[in-house]
Amino acid sequence: QVQLVESGGGLVQPGGSLRLSCAASGVTFRIIDMSWYRQAPGKERELAASITSAGGSTAYGDSMKGRVTISRDNAKNTVYLQMNSLKPEDTAVYYCKASTIQGTIRYDYWGQGTQVTVSS
């Protein structure tokens, strides 16, 4: 069973930066991609960024594009999200997701989330 542990969230002032980390353990099958999603109160969960394990192709959600960078360390099964120029509307719980392929079936695993609060 894959377990994901996120860290790095907290309180930051508008315009500030945070770096989130997500470490996967219990990985038996190949992780094909890892992603960060976020969910603000009363809103649906949305993609912040994703990255493939092979090749490192990235994709970013519109709301954070240009202000975030996703990176990964495959040897450590860890993904990072560097967030800059943070705004109050970036306040949300940020979730890490890892996807594996077992045979021909894709499985998604989610972390417990880390709170990011942007406020002065």
Side-chain angles (χ1 to χ4, degrees), residues 1-4 23-31 77 98 100:
Q1 183 75 6
V2 175
Q3 292 185 326
L4 302 174
S25 61
V27 178
T28 302
F29 295 91
R30 182 173 59 93
I31 293 179
N77 283 328
T100 68

Side-chain angles (χ1 to χ4, degrees), residues 4-7 20-24 34-36 76-80 96-97 111:
L4 302 174
V5 178
E6 300 113 329
S7 61
L20 306 182
S21 299
C22 172
M34 296 185 76
S35 308
W36 286 98
K76 297 181 179 179
N77 283 328
T78 298
V79 66
Y80 308 95
C96 176
K97 185 182 82 169

Side-chain angles (χ1 to χ4, degrees), residues 31-111:
I31 293 179
I32 58 172
D33 59 60
M34 296 185 76
S35 308
W36 286 98
Y37 284 74
R38 68 180 192 175
Q39 187 166 20
K43 295 188 176 181
E44 293 186 354
R45 192 171 295 189
E46 63 176 4
L47 174 71
S50 66
I51 186 167
T52 61
S53 295
S57 295
T58 58
Y60 294 94
D62 290 339
S63 60
M64 301 197 80
K65 192 177 295 182
R67 298 186 295 120
V68 298
T69 302
I70 189 170
S71 60
R72 90 279 190 232
D73 183 333
N74 287 344
K76 297 181 179 179
N77 283 328
T78 298
V79 66
Y80 308 95
L81 186 69
Q82 177 67 43
M83 304 187 293
N84 302 318
S85 302
L86 285 164
K87 306 173 183 180
E89 50 264 43
D90 294 320
T91 296
V93 178
Y94 285 71
Y95 296 92
C96 176
K97 185 182 82 169
S99 300
T100 68
I101 289 288
Q102 302 176 28
T104 59
I105 302 174
R106 179 187 176 111
Y107 291 88
D108 293 332
Y109 300 90
W110 291 88

